[in-house]
Amino acid sequence: MERSDLDVDDFLASVEGPRGDDLRALDRIISNELAGLERVLWTGPMWGGTDQRIVGYGGISQPRPRGASVEWFLVGLAAQQRHLSLYVNAADGGEYLVRRHAAELGRVKVGSAAVTFGSLADLDEPALRALLRRARELSPEAS
C-alpha cells in the first residue's frame, strides 16, 4: 500500500448507506482522539492481497519480519465488503493493543492488529476511545 494524494473526505463521502454513515462516524471519533496526527488515504494491495482504501491516522515505522521497516499508519480505518476494519498498529509490552483489549471492545473479531465488526453499534465506544488514546500515547509521533 502507498500513501495517496486523494482527498480523505471525498473518499468517505463516496461510501454509501449505513456502512458509509458508520465509517464517517468512526472517522470523527478517531480524528478527535488523534487530533493533530496526519490523516491520509492509503491505497493499493494490502500485503499482497486485495486492493484496499484505508484512512490512515498518524505515522509509524513498522519493522517487518523479512526486510526493511515500512512507513505505515498508527491507526487505519477501512470499509470491507461485509464489515468494517480498524487497524491499530501500536503495541504495549510486545503485544498489539487490540489483542490486549479485545474483551473490552464489544462484538468484534480481533486479529493481530485488526478489529473487524459489522457496524459501529458492535463497538464499545468508550473502550475504543481509550484504545485510541493509548495508541496515541505509544506513538513516537505524539511525543
Side-chain angles (χ1 to χ4, degrees):
M1 293 200 83
E2 298 179 348
R3 294 168 184 267
S4 77
D5 292 330
L6 299 172
D7 185 86
V8 172
D9 293 317
D10 287 347
F11 163 69
L12 292 171
S14 75
V15 181
E16 298 177 348
R19 183 163 294 135
D21 294 340
D22 285 351
L23 199 64
R24 288 181 289 279
L26 281 163
D27 173 69
R28 286 189 295 276
I29 292 167
I30 298 166
S31 293
N32 180 274
E33 295 300 334
L34 302 181
L37 301 185
E38 70 176 354
R39 181 173 165 260
V40 175
L41 188 63
W42 290 71
T43 62
M46 178 124 169
W47 307 127
T50 60
D51 267 357
Q52 299 282 320
R53 288 186 175 200
I54 299 176
V55 179
Y57 308 83
I60 62 170
S61 180
Q62 188 171 43
R64 302 304 314 155
R66 290 174 276 235
S69 294
V70 295
E71 296 306 308
W72 202 226
F73 45 78
L74 176 64
V75 173
L77 176 63
Q80 311 297 347
Q81 217 171 13
R82 293 188 177 94
H83 59 270
L84 297 169
S85 295
L86 182 68
Y87 305 95
V88 181
N89 296 304
D92 192 6
E95 183 178 24
Y96 279 111
L97 288 181
V98 296
R99 281 232 189 250
R100 183 171 279 201
H101 298 281
E104 304 158 18
L105 293 173
R107 293 185 319 261
V108 301
K109 291 183 182 176
V110 174
S112 294
V115 179
T116 61
F117 45 96
S119 71
L120 179 57
D122 294 333
L123 269 176
D124 182 286
E125 188 177 329
L128 171 63
R129 287 181 179 275
L131 178 79
L132 294 168
R133 284 191 296 273
R134 183 64 182 139
R136 183 186 183 111
E137 289 170 3
L138 294 167
S139 168
E141 190 178 347
S143 36

